[in-house]
Amino acid sequence: MEQLKTVPITFYIRRFDPETDEEPQVRPYLLQVEKGMTVLDCLHRIKEEQDQSLAFRFSCRMGVCGSCAMLINGRPMLACNSQTLDLTDSVLTVAALPNFNIIRDLVPDLVPMFDVHQRVKPYIIRKDALEMETPSSEYFQSPHQLEEFLQFTYCIKCGVCMAACPTMATDRQYPGPMPLTQIYRYNTDSRDDGGGERKDLAAKSRGVFGCHYAGECSNACPKGVDPARAIQLLKRDLVRDYLNLGKAHPCAKTHPLPSDVERKPRIEAPPFTAGV
Amino acid sequence: MTKQFDNHLGIIGWLGGGRWGIERYLYIIHRVAGLGVLLFFMMHIFESSVRVFGPDRWNAAMNFLDSPFFKLGEFVVYCGFAFHALNGLRLILIELGFAVGKAEEPVYPYRSSIDVQRPLMIVVMVMAAVVILAGGMNIFVLD
Ligand code: SF4
Ligand code: FES
């Protein structure tokens, strides 16, 4: 079998051990990298062969879970989605995602981001609570209505946009690109009626207008979500709302099933499911 | 809770740049130019207030300011003002939802709103360059 060509790459990894270090320190690791190895593969190899104390977070290894975001050669990106030899042929710097606290080595504390995400109520809110609890039929939504927010549903909550955002760097009150994008995503969903409940967070003085369109969130997002677009469209909607210029979009109505179609039986949630 | 390291970039996050897109640099220049013009306004009010101390003080201040250094300073302030005003118009248009396009299915290689607004950004930057050149002519050549 043909031997794969390897390239020696020096990884400068910013390490931080909360028990011994006051601040992070950069340590070099030399690794023979083969074509096809992602940065995450390289970190695994370093951990297996050189330093078992290296800490990093990962799960799916395929750009789906959003666990492995880190600062690679000065840019935030997913380690499992980045081919090492596409990024460098000699040295690579790896550090924890900025604009979050570091728990250890390459592991950022994403809890503040998830807290804000929870506060934006990222779920469908409607006035017909009874229909939501015991649905009698589907809510009507046209393909066009779906397209208006579908792009923003691809977010995997990786935090890359939060690390790329210069406003996040200085303003800890700013909700950040990911939660603001989710406000727009749910406000625009024709089935949702909860825009009023999300308005405080979006329209406050350190809210969506803290964005001055550096655009780096959209350049960095690994899923093509384009938070900068969602944020500008959210500003537009808030201005229209303030000036009473917006067209009122009535919340989607239920769409009775055709008489010859039967609903699938309700799938019972397992007893341990949260909230059941 | 165990100790964590605060990794917020702070002001370095604005100024540090790095390998970022051009709009990120415009964001930085916009903020710095805005603060610069604000600083100039405060200095300008201070300078004008010298008038209350009589014509001698006022003439002395004017003589002091009549130097090539302050002329250059005047041009720098003018550049900051022209850039901030024109880039501000671009930002207002964008923040009202113009020039960022509609939500679209993300298909790799992704095309974002940054690409959609780029022609507007180029037109605005060319306008800023023309206005700055015209002002420079006025300050350094015609004056
Ligand atoms: S918007 Fe993109 S970069 Fe931001 S959290 Fe979602 S997937 Fe990650
Ligand atoms: S490990 Fe899941 S996104 Fe990288």
Side-chain angles (χ1 to χ4, degrees):
Chain A
M1 206 176 84
E2 197 194 329
Q3 194 72 27
L4 271 181
K5 205 173 125 248
T6 60
V7 182
I9 305 283
T10 309
F11 285 74
Y12 288 96
I13 303 182
R14 199 163 175 246
R15 308 284 311 265
F16 173 70
D17 181 345
E19 270 147 37
T20 54
D21 299 337
E22 278 312 308
E23 49 183 63
Q25 290 153 11
V26 176
R27 285 195 219 145
Y29 300 87
L30 182 67
L31 189 72
Q32 295 295 330
V33 177
E34 293 156 19
K35 187 163 181 273
M37 283 175 80
T38 62
V39 175
L40 186 65
D41 293 333
C42 296
L43 294 176
H44 276 294
R45 184 128 336 147
I46 291 171
K47 188 171 170 83
E48 278 162 20
E49 296 176 355
Q50 302 187 30
D51 189 342
Q52 286 164 15
S53 67
L54 178 64
F56 49 94
R57 193 188 272 139
F58 71 97
S59 180
C60 70
R61 307 183 189 214
M62 55 168 88
V64 172
C65 70
S67 308
C68 67
M70 49 189 81
L71 196 71
I72 301 171
N73 264 7
R75 287 193 67 89
M77 52 180 99
L78 297 180
C80 70
N81 217 16
S82 314
Q83 289 290 323
T84 309
L85 296 183
D86 285 353
L87 296 170
T88 181
D89 54 10
S90 53
V91 294
L92 195 81
T93 61
V94 187
L97 216 51
N99 300 339
F100 295 100
N101 287 354
I102 301 177
I103 297 175
R104 188 185 185 100
D105 295 342
L106 303 174
V107 184
D109 179 13
L110 300 179
V111 168
M113 174 175 81
F114 293 132
D115 280 348
V116 183
H117 183 232
Q118 207 169 7
R119 274 172 40 219
V120 309
K121 306 195 175 174
Y123 39 81
I124 302 260
I125 301 172
R126 292 180 60 99
K127 305 227 158 53
D128 51 1
L130 188 65
E131 176 64 29
M132 286 201 79
E133 282 303 312
T134 48
S136 63
S137 56
E138 323 293 325
Y139 291 120
F140 177 79
Q141 184 164 68
S142 70
H144 173 69
Q145 287 171 326
L146 175 65
E147 271 167 28
E148 286 183 5
F149 67 86
L150 183 63
Q151 177 175 29
F152 312 118
T153 64
Y154 287 96
C155 173
I156 57 172
K157 323 291 179 289
C158 62
V160 160
C161 53
M162 312 282 279
C165 172
T167 303
M168 284 298 296
T170 41
D171 189 350
R172 292 173 194 226
Q173 307 281 319
Y174 181 58
M178 186 282 276
L180 290 172
T181 300
Q182 293 313 304
I183 293 183
Y184 183 75
R185 177 255 174 273
Y186 282 95
N187 284 2
T188 311
D189 192 320
S190 59
R191 298 163 299 177
D192 181 87
D193 208 7
E197 294 188 33
R198 302 185 190 100
K199 201 157 145 189
D200 272 359
L201 194 77
K204 66 176 184 167
S205 64
R206 312 281 280 278
V208 72
F209 291 97
C211 163
H212 293 165
Y213 204 63
E216 219 46 62
C217 51
S218 296
N219 289 336
C221 174
K223 305 305 280 185
V225 169
D226 203 348
R229 172 179 282 153
I231 292 173
Q232 309 323 307
L233 295 178
L234 178 60
K235 288 178 191 169
R236 177 200 62 187
D237 288 358
L238 288 170
V239 171
R240 276 189 189 166
D241 188 51
Y242 183 74
L243 298 174
N244 270 330
L245 293 175
K247 284 179 263 163
H249 292 288
C251 199
K253 301 253 177 336
T254 50
H255 189 64
L257 289 182
S259 54
D260 54 343
V261 173
E262 260 180 44
R263 274 188 74 83
K264 276 190 181 166
R266 188 186 159 116
I267 300 169
E268 287 305 325
F272 53 82
T273 303
V276 173
Chain B
M1 201 174 81
T2 45
K3 183 178 73 186
Q4 296 190 343
F5 180 76
D6 182 352
N7 199 26
H8 283 76
L9 292 176
I11 205 81
I12 301 288
W14 283 21
L15 300 175
R19 300 180 302 109
W20 305 107
I22 184 151
E23 284 74 15
R24 168 77 170 252
Y25 292 101
L26 297 184
Y27 166 99
I28 299 162
I29 301 171
H30 191 79
R31 289 193 156 192
V32 173
L35 290 173
V37 170
L38 185 69
L39 182 70
F40 165 75
F41 276 134
M42 292 195 290
M43 289 185 346
H44 185 56
I45 290 169
F46 173 75
E47 167 224 309
S48 310
S49 67
V50 173
R51 255 199 137 113
V52 297
F53 299 113
D56 292 348
R57 287 274 182 91
W58 172 248
N59 287 337
M62 286 300 102
N63 283 339
F64 175 70
L65 293 176
D66 189 16
S67 79
F69 176 76
F70 285 106
K71 203 161 197 173
L72 185 67
E74 194 183 354
F75 179 62
V76 171
V77 170
Y78 175 74
C79 292
F81 171 75
F83 173 84
H84 193 82
L86 286 161
N87 192 49
L89 288 178
R90 175 182 75 99
L91 291 180
I92 290 172
L93 284 176
I94 285 174
E95 297 193 354
L96 291 176
F98 298 105
V100 289
K102 288 188 185 152
E104 56 189 77
E105 183 82 11
V107 179
Y108 197 80
Y110 306 127
R111 198 179 84 106
S112 75
S113 58
I114 311 298
D115 304 305
V116 179
Q117 63 79 49
R118 182 112 342 124
L120 172 68
M121 187 276 286
I122 292 171
V123 169
V124 166
M125 287 307 114
V126 170
M127 282 166 64
V130 170
V131 170
I132 287 173
L133 275 177
M137 287 278 286
N138 190 29
I139 293 176
F140 293 115
V141 184
L142 304 176
D143 199 11

